[in-house]
Amino acid sequence: MKFCSHCGSADIALRIPPGDSLPRFVCGACDAIHYENPKIVVGCLPVWEDRVLLCKRAIEPRLGRWTLPAGFLENGETLQAGAMRETLEEANARVELLPLYALISLPQIAQVYMMFRARLLDLDFGPGPESLEVELFDEADIPWEEIAFRTIARTLRRFFLDRRLGAFGLHVSALERRPPLTPDLVAAG
Ligand SMILES: [Zn+2]
């Protein structure tokens, strides 16, 4: 942060405010404390009969890789509205949302990922500006090696497992960056 969004001053320092425990961007001119908290990524897993709708990304990161429709929740927006908006923007697809299905904490990148199951309402879909292609995939045809994000792969694998078991719950988990290899492990190959 270079300038205070409250008063415009450049007198910004990273320090622990009185009574707090973590460093924050604090404005020396107006004393505003600029808290930074995790962002919410919301989306859905749209299903038509046995098939799942995936979007091929037209933007970085992971351009050309497949993903489920999802994006950052906007201020003033409900989770459901955000999931439906992202699905419309990325896949021109209309869905009926089913219960929340996957909630994944990503502490290292300060995001929380929330995915609903969803029923695709019609086959009138196609790529929006952020997608190269939008397609329905059978489980056997999912391009596992070309899935854009670990959160998406985890959500899809869990979905196909639950579908076989015949019960969908809410799955709460976390994805944390793997610890770096120690020199010993690297030397041992
Ligand atoms: Zn200020």
Side-chain angles (χ1 to χ4, degrees), residues 83-162:
M84 292 171 75
R85 175 183 53 73
E86 289 291 341
T87 308
L88 192 60
E89 285 176 2
E90 296 180 5
N92 284 308
R94 284 142 298 277
V95 291
E96 174 198 357
L97 291 184
L98 300 171
L100 185 63
Y101 181 60
L103 207 162
I104 306 177
S105 291
L106 302 161
Q108 277 92 355
I109 56 170
Q111 293 180 6
V112 178
Y113 166 94
M114 300 186 179
M115 295 298 273
F116 290 86
R117 285 190 299 120
R119 193 172 69 82
L120 193 58
L121 292 179
D122 57 64
L123 292 175
D124 183 21
F125 58 78
E130 296 181 4
S131 304
L132 296 170
E133 295 173 50
V134 177
E135 271 186 44
L136 288 170
F137 288 89
D138 283 312
E139 179 179 1
D141 299 327
I142 297 280
W144 292 109
E145 301 305 313
E146 298 167 45
I147 299 295
F149 304 105
R150 289 168 73 199
T151 48
I152 302 294
R154 175 178 287 191
T155 303
L156 288 170
R157 286 186 196 284
R158 175 59 77 169
F159 173 78
F160 292 122
L161 181 64
D162 281 358

Side-chain angles (χ1 to χ4, degrees), residues 4 7 27 30:
C4 175
C7 75
C27 176
C30 77

Side-chain angles (χ1 to χ4, degrees), residues 3-12 26-34:
F3 298 99
C4 175
S5 59
H6 188 70
C7 75
S9 167
D11 181 12
I12 298 281
V26 180
C27 176
C30 77
D31 293 330
I33 302 171
H34 300 279

